[in-house]
Amino acid sequence: MEILTIICIGLMTGVEFCIAAFINPIFAQLPEAARNTAISLGAKQLGRVMPFWYIGGLLLLVTESVVKRHSSHIELLWSACLTWVAAIVLSIFFLVPINNRIVAAGPSAFSEELRRQHDRWHLLHRWRVAALVIAVTMFLLGVQA
């Protein structure tokens, strides 16, 4: 179970980091029409998968915390869960609405306002990535006990 949790949350964090550090900066260098299409397609594809991955990661984190509830580092495990929840809350209330507007508009209707919203999404996404890295780190420190 521990290995499955590490794989799930580690890959999730890696994907989110890749989007923040590489994919979005690459998209920003594309000509406008190609950029809008890439952003729209990425929002649609990732918007379908990520909710299940986030919830799956949280369920694995909580399960591991319950199983290891007598561990000397249980506070790190629960802190990892709470930090993961914070990333989910950030996503639901701020990132998902922007993502949904991007998907609904489609690449041909990508307005300047939608571009500004994507820039805001990118900024908020960096905070989400930081939260995920912190959660994974706390989990790894907590399970080593």
Side-chain angles (χ1 to χ4, degrees):
M1 177 71 86
E2 189 175 302
I3 291 171
L4 180 62
T5 303
I6 291 168
I7 290 169
C8 178
I9 67 174
L11 286 174
M12 172 95 187
T13 302
V15 166
E16 294 288 27
F17 175 79
C18 182
I19 291 167
F22 304 110
I23 302 300
N24 277 332
I26 289 169
F27 285 0
Q29 300 301 311
L30 293 172
E32 185 176 355
R35 178 184 64 234
N36 296 346
T37 300
I39 290 170
S40 182
L41 291 173
K44 185 176 182 181
Q45 181 65 33
L46 293 170
R48 282 192 296 240
V49 174
M50 291 304 193
F52 299 104
W53 204 348
Y54 270 98
I55 296 301
L58 178 61
L59 291 174
L60 288 167
L61 283 167
V62 169
T63 301
E64 277 293 309
S65 297
V66 170
V67 167
K68 296 183 183 298
R69 66 186 170 275
H70 300 297
S71 164
S72 61
H73 291 89
I74 188 62
E75 60 279 344
L76 284 170
L77 298 175
W78 286 118
S79 295
C81 292
L82 290 174
T83 305
W84 199 268
V85 167
I88 291 172
V89 169
L90 173 67
S91 298
I92 290 170
F93 289 106
F94 297 101
L95 294 158
V96 169
I98 295 170
N99 192 72
N100 289 344
R101 285 190 290 275
I102 290 170
V103 170
S108 59
F110 213 90
S111 65
E112 185 57 37
E113 173 58 27
L114 206 52
R115 179 75 186 139
R116 280 194 296 277
Q117 287 183 29
H118 179 261
D119 291 343
R120 177 164 169 70
W121 182 94
H122 187 56
L123 176 66
L124 293 170
H125 178 70
R126 290 177 183 169
W127 285 104
R128 175 169 60 185
V129 170
L132 295 176
V133 168
I134 291 167
V136 170
T137 303
M138 286 189 292
F139 178 77
L140 291 173
L141 291 171
V143 295
Q144 76 178 355

